Structures are given as structure tokens and as C-alpha cells.
Coordinates of all heavy atoms in Angstrom, one line a residue:
M179 N 0.8 -1.2 0.0 CA 0.0 0.0 0.0 C 0.9 1.2 0.0 O 1.7 1.4 0.8 CB -0.9 0.0 1.3 CG -2.0 1.0 1.2 SD -3.1 0.9 2.6 CE -3.7 -0.8 2.6
A180 N 0.7 2.1 -0.9 CA 1.4 3.4 -0.9 C 0.9 4.2 0.2 O -0.2 3.9 0.8 CB 1.2 4.1 -2.2
L181 N 1.7 5.2 0.6 CA 1.2 6.2 1.6 C 0.8 7.5 0.9 O 1.1 7.7 -0.3 CB 2.4 6.5 2.5 CG 3.0 5.3 3.2 CD1 4.0 5.8 4.3 CD2 2.0 4.4 3.9
L182 N 0.0 8.3 1.6 CA -0.4 9.6 1.1 C -0.2 10.7 2.1 O -0.1 10.4 3.3 CB -1.8 9.5 0.5 CG -3.0 9.4 1.5 CD1 -3.3 10.6 2.2 CD2 -4.2 8.9 0.6
I183 N -0.1 11.9 1.6 CA 0.1 13.0 2.5 C -1.2 13.8 2.6 O -1.8 14.1 1.6 CB 1.2 13.9 1.9 CG1 2.6 13.2 1.9 CG2 1.3 15.2 2.7 CD1 3.7 13.9 1.2
N184 N -1.6 14.0 3.8 CA -2.9 14.7 4.0 C -2.8 16.2 4.2 O -1.7 16.7 4.1 CB -3.7 14.0 5.1 CG -3.2 14.3 6.5 OD1 -2.5 15.3 6.8 ND2 -3.5 13.4 7.5
E185 N -3.9 16.9 4.4 CA -3.9 18.3 4.4 C -3.2 19.0 5.5 O -3.0 20.2 5.5 CB -5.4 18.8 4.3 CG -6.2 18.6 5.6 CD -6.7 17.1 5.7 OE1 -6.4 16.3 4.8 OE2 -7.4 16.8 6.8
N186 N -2.7 18.2 6.5 CA -1.9 18.8 7.6 C -0.5 19.1 7.2 O 0.3 19.7 8.0 CB -2.0 17.9 8.8 CG -3.4 17.8 9.4 OD1 -4.1 18.8 9.3 ND2 -3.7 16.7 10.0
C187 N -0.1 18.7 6.0 CA 1.3 19.0 5.6 C 1.6 20.5 5.6 O 0.8 21.3 5.1 CB 1.4 18.4 4.1 SG 3.0 18.9 3.3
T188 N 2.8 20.8 6.1 CA 3.2 22.2 6.2 C 4.3 22.5 5.1 O 4.9 23.6 5.2 CB 3.8 22.5 7.6 OG1 5.0 21.6 7.8 CG2 2.8 22.2 8.7
S189 N 4.5 21.6 4.2 CA 5.4 21.8 3.1 C 6.8 22.1 3.6 O 7.5 23.0 3.1 CB 5.0 22.9 2.1 OG 3.7 22.6 1.6
C190 N 7.2 21.4 4.7 CA 8.5 21.7 5.3 C 9.7 21.0 4.5 O 10.8 21.4 4.8 CB 8.5 21.1 6.7 SG 8.7 19.3 6.8
D191 N 9.4 20.1 3.6 CA 10.4 19.5 2.8 C 11.3 18.4 3.4 O 12.1 17.8 2.8 CB 11.4 20.5 2.2 CG 12.0 20.1 0.9 OD1 11.2 19.8 -0.1 OD2 13.2 20.1 0.8
A192 N 11.0 18.1 4.7 CA 11.8 17.1 5.4 C 11.8 15.7 4.8 O 12.7 14.9 4.9 CB 11.4 17.0 6.9
C193 N 10.6 15.4 4.2 CA 10.4 14.0 3.7 C 11.1 13.7 2.4 O 11.4 12.6 2.1 CB 8.9 13.7 3.6 SG 8.0 14.9 2.6
V194 N 11.3 14.7 1.6 CA 11.8 14.5 0.3 C 13.2 13.8 0.2 O 13.3 12.8 -0.5 CB 11.9 15.8 -0.5 CG1 12.6 15.7 -1.8 CG2 10.5 16.3 -0.8
P195 N 14.2 14.3 1.0 CA 15.5 13.6 0.9 C 15.6 12.2 1.4 O 16.5 11.5 1.1 CB 16.4 14.6 1.6 CG 15.6 15.4 2.5 CD 14.2 15.5 1.8
V196 N 14.7 11.8 2.3 CA 14.8 10.5 2.9 C 14.1 9.4 2.1 O 14.2 8.2 2.4 CB 14.2 10.5 4.4 CG1 15.0 11.5 5.2 CG2 12.7 10.7 4.4
C197 N 13.4 9.8 1.1 CA 12.6 8.8 0.3 C 13.6 8.0 -0.6 O 14.2 8.7 -1.5 CB 11.5 9.4 -0.5 SG 10.6 8.1 -1.5
P198 N 13.7 6.7 -0.5 CA 14.6 6.0 -1.4 C 14.2 5.8 -2.8 O 14.9 5.4 -3.7 CB 14.7 4.6 -0.7 CG 13.4 4.5 0.0 CD 13.0 5.9 0.4
N199 N 12.9 6.2 -3.1 CA 12.4 6.0 -4.4 C 12.0 7.3 -5.1 O 11.3 7.3 -6.1 CB 11.1 5.2 -4.3 CG 11.3 3.8 -3.7 OD1 12.4 3.3 -3.8 ND2 10.3 3.2 -3.1
T200 N 12.5 8.4 -4.6 CA 12.1 9.8 -5.1 C 10.6 9.8 -5.5 O 10.3 10.3 -6.5 CB 13.0 10.1 -6.3 OG1 12.9 9.2 -7.4 CG2 14.4 10.3 -5.9
A201 N 9.8 9.4 -4.5 CA 8.4 9.4 -4.7 C 7.7 10.6 -4.2 O 6.5 10.8 -4.5 CB 7.8 8.2 -3.9
I202 N 8.4 11.5 -3.5 CA 7.7 12.7 -2.9 C 8.2 14.0 -3.6 O 9.3 14.2 -3.9 CB 8.1 12.8 -1.4 CG1 7.8 11.5 -0.7 CG2 7.2 13.9 -0.8 CD1 8.3 11.4 0.7
S203 N 7.2 14.8 -3.9 CA 7.5 16.1 -4.5 C 6.5 17.2 -4.0 O 5.5 16.9 -3.4 CB 7.5 16.0 -6.0 OG 6.2 15.6 -6.4
A204 N 6.9 18.4 -4.2 CA 6.0 19.5 -3.9 C 4.8 19.6 -4.9 O 5.1 19.6 -6.1 CB 6.8 20.8 -3.9
G205 N 3.6 19.6 -4.3 CA 2.5 19.8 -5.2 C 2.0 21.2 -5.2 O 2.7 22.1 -4.8
D206 N 0.8 21.5 -5.7 CA 0.3 22.8 -5.8 C 0.1 23.5 -4.4 O 0.4 24.6 -4.2 CB -1.0 22.9 -6.6 CG -0.8 22.6 -8.0 OD1 0.3 22.8 -8.5 OD2 -1.8 22.2 -8.7
V207 N -0.4 22.7 -3.5 CA -0.7 23.2 -2.1 C 0.2 22.5 -1.1 O 0.9 23.1 -0.3 CB -2.2 23.1 -1.8 CG1 -2.4 23.6 -0.4 CG2 -3.0 23.8 -2.8
I208 N 0.1 21.2 -1.1 CA 0.9 20.4 -0.1 C 1.8 19.4 -0.9 O 1.7 19.3 -2.1 CB 0.0 19.6 0.8 CG1 -1.0 18.7 0.0 CG2 -0.8 20.5 1.8 CD1 -1.8 17.7 0.9
Y209 N 2.7 18.7 -0.2 CA 3.5 17.8 -0.9 C 2.7 16.5 -1.2 O 1.7 16.2 -0.6 CB 4.7 17.4 0.0 CG 5.8 18.4 -0.1 CD1 5.6 19.8 0.0 CD2 7.1 18.0 -0.2 CE1 6.6 20.7 -0.1 CE2 8.2 18.9 -0.3 CZ 7.9 20.3 -0.3 OH 8.9 21.2 -0.4
V210 N 3.2 15.8 -2.3 CA 2.4 14.7 -2.7 C 3.4 13.5 -2.9 O 4.6 13.6 -3.2 CB 1.7 14.9 -4.1 CG1 0.6 15.9 -3.9 CG2 2.7 15.4 -5.1
I211 N 2.8 12.3 -2.7 CA 3.5 11.0 -2.9 C 3.0 10.4 -4.2 O 1.8 10.2 -4.4 CB 3.3 10.0 -1.7 CG1 4.0 10.6 -0.5 CG2 3.8 8.7 -2.1 CD1 3.7 9.8 0.8
D212 N 3.9 10.0 -5.1 CA 3.6 9.3 -6.3 C 3.3 7.8 -6.0 O 4.3 7.1 -5.6 CB 4.7 9.4 -7.3 CG 4.5 8.7 -8.6 OD1 3.4 8.0 -8.7 OD2 5.3 8.9 -9.6
A213 N 2.1 7.4 -6.0 CA 1.8 6.0 -5.6 C 2.5 5.0 -6.5 O 2.7 3.8 -6.0 CB 0.2 5.8 -5.7
A214 N 2.9 5.3 -7.7 CA 3.6 4.4 -8.5 C 5.0 4.2 -8.1 O 5.7 3.2 -8.5 CB 3.5 4.9 -10.0
R215 N 5.5 5.1 -7.2 CA 6.9 5.0 -6.7 C 7.0 4.6 -5.3 O 8.1 4.2 -4.8 CB 7.6 6.3 -7.0 CG 7.7 6.7 -8.5 CD 8.7 7.8 -8.7 NE 10.1 7.5 -8.4 CZ 10.9 6.9 -9.3 NH1 10.4 6.6 -10.6 NH2 12.1 6.6 -9.0
C216 N 6.0 4.8 -4.5 CA 6.0 4.5 -3.0 C 5.9 3.0 -2.8 O 5.0 2.4 -3.2 CB 4.9 5.2 -2.3 SG 5.0 4.8 -0.5
T217 N 6.9 2.4 -2.0 CA 6.9 1.0 -1.7 C 6.7 0.9 -0.2 O 7.0 -0.2 0.4 CB 8.2 0.3 -2.1 OG1 9.3 0.9 -1.4 CG2 8.4 0.4 -3.6
E218 N 6.3 1.9 0.5 CA 6.3 1.9 2.0 C 7.8 1.7 2.5 O 8.0 1.2 3.6 CB 5.4 0.9 2.6 CG 3.9 1.2 2.5 CD 3.1 0.2 3.3 OE1 3.3 0.1 4.5 OE2 2.2 -0.4 2.7
C219 N 8.7 2.0 1.7 CA 10.2 1.8 1.9 C 10.6 0.4 1.9 O 11.8 0.1 2.1 CB 10.6 2.5 3.2 SG 10.8 4.3 3.0
I220 N 9.7 -0.5 1.6 CA 10.0 -1.9 1.4 C 11.1 -2.0 0.3 O 10.9 -1.4 -0.7 CB 8.8 -2.8 1.2 CG1 8.0 -3.0 2.5 CG2 9.2 -4.1 0.5 CD1 6.7 -3.7 2.4
G221 N 12.1 -2.8 0.6 CA 13.2 -2.9 -0.3 C 14.4 -2.1 0.1 O 15.6 -2.4 -0.3
A222 N 14.2 -1.1 0.9 CA 15.3 -0.2 1.3 C 15.4 -0.1 2.8 O 16.5 0.0 3.4 CB 15.1 1.2 0.7
H223 N 14.3 0.0 3.5 CA 14.3 0.2 5.0 C 13.2 -0.6 5.7 O 12.3 -1.1 5.1 CB 14.0 1.7 5.3 CG 15.0 2.7 4.6 ND1 16.3 2.8 5.1 CD2 14.9 3.5 3.6 CE1 16.9 3.7 4.3 NE2 16.1 4.1 3.4
D224 N 13.4 -0.7 7.0 CA 12.4 -1.5 7.8 C 11.1 -0.8 8.0 O 10.1 -1.4 8.3 CB 13.0 -1.8 9.2 CG 14.1 -2.8 9.1 OD1 14.2 -3.6 8.1 OD2 15.0 -2.9 10.0
S225 N 11.1 0.5 7.9 CA 9.9 1.3 8.1 C 9.8 2.5 7.2 O 10.9 3.0 6.7 CB 9.8 1.7 9.6 OG 10.9 2.5 9.9
P226 N 8.7 3.1 7.0 CA 8.6 4.3 6.1 C 9.3 5.5 6.6 O 9.0 6.0 7.7 CB 7.1 4.5 6.0 CG 6.4 3.2 6.3 CD 7.3 2.6 7.4
Q227 N 10.4 5.8 5.9 CA 11.3 6.9 6.4 C 10.6 8.3 6.4 O 10.9 9.1 7.3 CB 12.5 7.0 5.5 CG 13.3 5.7 5.5 CD 13.9 5.3 6.9 OE1 14.7 6.0 7.4 NE2 13.3 4.3 7.5
C228 N 9.7 8.5 5.5 CA 9.0 9.8 5.5 C 8.1 10.0 6.7 O 8.1 11.1 7.3 CB 8.2 9.9 4.2 SG 6.9 8.6 4.0
Q229 N 7.5 8.9 7.2 CA 6.7 9.0 8.4 C 7.6 9.3 9.6 O 7.2 10.1 10.5 CB 5.9 7.7 8.7 CG 4.7 7.5 7.8 CD 3.9 6.3 8.1 OE1 4.5 5.2 8.4 NE2 2.6 6.3 8.0
L230 N 8.8 8.8 9.6 CA 9.7 9.0 10.8 C 10.1 10.4 10.9 O 10.3 11.0 12.0 CB 10.9 8.1 10.6 CG 10.8 6.6 10.8 CD1 12.1 5.9 10.6 CD2 10.2 6.3 12.2
V231 N 10.3 11.1 9.8 CA 10.8 12.5 9.9 C 9.7 13.6 9.8 O 10.0 14.7 10.1 CB 11.8 12.8 8.7 CG1 13.0 11.8 8.8 CG2 11.2 12.7 7.4
C232 N 8.5 13.2 9.5 CA 7.5 14.2 9.3 C 7.0 14.8 10.6 O 6.5 14.1 11.5 CB 6.3 13.6 8.6 SG 4.9 14.8 8.4
P233 N 7.2 16.1 10.8 CA 6.9 16.8 12.1 C 5.4 17.0 12.2 O 4.9 17.3 13.3 CB 7.6 18.1 12.0 CG 7.8 18.4 10.6 CD 7.9 17.1 9.9
A234 N 4.6 16.8 11.1 CA 3.2 17.1 11.2 C 2.4 15.8 11.3 O 1.1 15.9 11.4 CB 2.8 17.9 9.9
D235 N 3.0 14.7 11.3 CA 2.3 13.4 11.3 C 1.2 13.3 10.3 O 0.1 12.9 10.6 CB 1.7 13.1 12.7 CG 2.8 12.7 13.7 OD1 3.8 12.2 13.3 OD2 2.6 12.9 14.9
C236 N 1.5 13.7 9.1 CA 0.4 13.8 8.1 C 0.6 12.8 6.9 O -0.1 12.9 5.9 CB 0.4 15.3 7.5 SG 1.9 15.7 6.7
I237 N 1.4 11.8 7.1 CA 1.6 10.8 6.1 C 1.0 9.5 6.6 O 1.3 8.9 7.6 CB 3.1 10.6 5.8 CG1 3.8 11.9 5.5 CG2 3.3 9.6 4.7 CD1 5.3 11.8 5.3
V238 N 0.0 9.1 5.8 CA -0.9 7.9 6.2 C -1.0 6.9 5.1 O -0.6 7.2 4.0 CB -2.3 8.5 6.7 CG1 -2.2 9.4 7.9 CG2 -3.0 9.2 5.5
Q239 N -1.6 5.8 5.5 CA -1.8 4.7 4.5 C -2.9 5.2 3.4 O -3.8 5.9 3.8 CB -2.4 3.5 5.1 CG -1.4 2.9 6.1 CD -0.6 1.7 5.5 OE1 -1.1 1.0 4.7 NE2 0.6 1.6 6.0
D240 N -2.7 4.9 2.2 CA -3.6 5.3 1.1 C -4.5 4.1 0.8 O -4.1 3.1 0.1 CB -2.7 5.6 -0.1 CG -3.6 6.1 -1.3 OD1 -4.9 6.0 -1.2 OD2 -3.1 6.5 -2.3
P241 N -5.7 4.1 1.3 CA -6.6 2.9 1.1 C -7.0 2.7 -0.4 O -7.4 1.6 -0.7 CB -7.9 3.3 1.9 CG -7.8 4.8 2.0 CD -6.4 5.2 2.0
N242 N -6.7 3.6 -1.2 CA -7.0 3.4 -2.6 C -5.9 2.8 -3.4 O -6.0 2.6 -4.6 CB -7.4 4.8 -3.3 CG -8.7 5.3 -2.7 OD1 -9.6 4.6 -2.5 ND2 -8.8 6.6 -2.5
N243 N -4.8 2.6 -2.7 CA -3.6 1.9 -3.4 C -3.1 0.8 -2.5 O -2.0 0.7 -2.1 CB -2.5 3.0 -3.6 CG -2.8 3.8 -4.8 OD1 -2.9 3.4 -5.9 ND2 -3.0 5.1 -4.5
A244 N -4.0 -0.2 -2.3 CA -3.7 -1.4 -1.5 C -2.8 -2.3 -2.3 O -3.1 -2.6 -3.5 CB -4.9 -2.1 -1.1
E245 N -1.7 -2.7 -1.7 CA -0.7 -3.7 -2.3 C -0.2 -4.6 -1.3 O 0.0 -4.2 -0.1 CB 0.4 -2.9 -3.0 CG 0.0 -2.0 -4.1 CD 1.1 -0.9 -4.4 OE1 1.2 0.0 -3.5 OE2 1.8 -1.0 -5.4
S246 N 0.2 -5.8 -1.7 CA 0.8 -6.8 -0.8 C 2.3 -6.5 -0.6 O 2.8 -5.7 -1.4 CB 0.6 -8.2 -1.3 OG 1.4 -8.3 -2.5
K247 N 2.9 -7.1 0.4 CA 4.3 -6.9 0.6 C 5.0 -7.4 -0.7 O 6.0 -6.8 -1.1 CB 4.8 -7.7 1.8 CG 6.2 -7.4 2.1 CD 6.6 -8.0 3.5 CE 8.1 -7.6 3.7 NZ 8.8 -8.6 4.5
A248 N 4.6 -8.5 -1.3 CA 5.2 -9.0 -2.5 C 5.1 -8.0 -3.6 O 6.1 -7.9 -4.4 CB 4.6 -10.4 -2.8
Q249 N 4.0 -7.4 -3.8 CA 3.8 -6.4 -4.8 C 4.7 -5.2 -4.6 O 5.3 -4.7 -5.5 CB 2.4 -5.9 -4.9 CG 1.4 -6.9 -5.5 CD 0.0 -6.5 -5.4 OE1 -0.5 -6.2 -4.3 NE2 -0.7 -6.4 -6.5
L250 N 4.9 -4.8 -3.3 CA 5.8 -3.7 -3.0 C 7.2 -4.0 -3.3 O 8.0 -3.2 -3.8 CB 5.5 -3.2 -1.6 CG 4.2 -2.6 -1.3 CD1 3.9 -2.5 0.2 CD2 4.0 -1.3 -2.0
E251 N 7.6 -5.3 -3.0 CA 9.0 -5.7 -3.2 C 9.2 -5.7 -4.7 O 10.3 -5.3 -5.2 CB 9.2 -7.1 -2.6 CG 9.4 -7.1 -1.1 CD 9.3 -8.5 -0.5 OE1 8.9 -9.4 -1.2 OE2 9.7 -8.6 0.7
A252 N 8.2 -6.2 -5.5 CA 8.4 -6.2 -7.0 C 8.5 -4.8 -7.5 O 9.2 -4.5 -8.5 CB 7.2 -6.9 -7.6
K253 N 7.7 -3.9 -6.9 CA 7.7 -2.5 -7.4 C 9.1 -1.9 -7.1 O 9.7 -1.2 -8.0 CB 6.7 -1.7 -6.6 CG 6.4 -0.3 -7.2 CD 5.7 0.6 -6.2 CE 4.2 0.4 -6.1 NZ 3.6 1.5 -5.3
Y254 N 9.7 -2.1 -6.0 CA 11.0 -1.6 -5.7 C 12.0 -2.2 -6.6 O 12.9 -1.4 -7.2 CB 11.4 -2.0 -4.2 CG 12.7 -1.4 -3.8 CD1 12.8 -0.1 -3.3 CD2 13.9 -2.1 -3.9 CE1 14.0 0.5 -2.9 CE2 15.1 -1.6 -3.6 CZ 15.2 -0.3 -3.1 OH 16.4 0.3 -2.7
K255 N 11.9 -3.5 -6.9 CA 12.9 -4.0 -7.9 C 12.7 -3.4 -9.3 O 13.7 -3.1 -9.9 CB 12.7 -5.6 -8.0 CG 13.3 -6.3 -6.8 CD 13.3 -7.8 -7.0 CE 13.8 -8.5 -5.7 NZ 13.0 -9.6 -5.3
A256 N 11.5 -3.2 -9.7 CA 11.3 -2.6 -11.0 C 11.8 -1.2 -11.0 O 12.4 -0.7 -12.1 CB 9.8 -2.6 -11.3
L257 N 11.7 -0.4 -9.9 CA 12.2 1.0 -9.9 C 13.7 1.0 -9.9 O 14.3 2.0 -10.5 CB 11.7 1.7 -8.6 CG 10.2 2.1 -8.6 CD1 9.8 2.5 -7.2 CD2 9.9 3.2 -9.6
H258 N 14.3 0.0 -9.3 CA 15.8 0.1 -9.2 C 16.5 -0.9 -10.0 O 17.7 -1.0 -9.9 CB 16.1 -0.1 -7.7 CG 15.6 1.0 -6.8 ND1 16.3 2.2 -6.6 CD2 14.4 1.1 -6.1 CE1 15.5 3.0 -5.8 NE2 14.4 2.3 -5.5
G259 N 15.8 -1.5 -10.9 CA 16.3 -2.4 -12.0 C 17.6 -3.1 -11.6 O 18.4 -3.4 -12.3
Ligands
SF4_578 FE1 9.1 7.2 0.0 FE2 9.2 5.3 1.8 FE3 7.6 7.5 2.2 FE4 7.0 5.7 0.3 S1 7.1 5.3 2.5 S2 7.0 7.9 0.1 S3 9.0 5.0 -0.4 S4 9.9 7.4 2.1
SF4_579 FE1 4.7 17.7 4.5 FE2 5.4 16.1 6.4 FE3 6.7 16.1 4.1 FE4 7.0 18.1 5.8 S1 7.7 16.0 6.1 S2 6.7 18.3 3.5 S3 4.9 18.2 6.7 S4 4.6 15.5 4.4

């Protein structure tokens, strides 16, 4: 399951450099996660790094992008070839 950033985002930019998949970018109002690139950090880390550094606690599970651990592992492999 990819993660998403909710409206509590303060656009502080802390999450961008810690993402191993370059999945996070500044959107029109708040920062956004590209669901096609987010693996919940599976493949790179034990836990989602963006959630660890976010001071606003605004990064949550995206129920519209449900994926199994195996799918997330495959996504990571595809991204990093
Ligand atoms: Fe990037 Fe990991 Fe956050 Fe997904 S959970 S956006 S891969 S840092
Ligand atoms: Fe927004 Fe949190 Fe990322 Fe800062 S770390 S830009 S508050 S999602």
C-alpha cells in the first residue's frame, strides 16, 4: 500500500531527501507522494522513512492503493532495476 500526505502537511520538505524512491515532491498546495513509486520503503528500509521524519504526522496509508508486501517488493525491484 502506498502512503499519502494529508492536508496537515506544512510543506517543510523534510520527507523529500529521505525517500529511497524519489516518490515525494511539492504539489500545488501540499507535498504529494507518487503512488507508482512508493513502496512503504520496502526494499530499502524497515519502516517508512517519510513518516519517521514528518513533524506534522500527516503521512498515512492510502486505502485506494492497496498492495501486498510481495507487490511492493516487486515495485521496488522494478524501480531500481
Ligand atoms: Fe518514499 Fe518510503 Fe515514504 Fe513511500 S514510505 S513515500 S517509499 S519514504
Ligand atoms: Fe509535509 Fe510532512 Fe513532508 Fe513536511 S515532512 S513536507 S509536513 S509530508
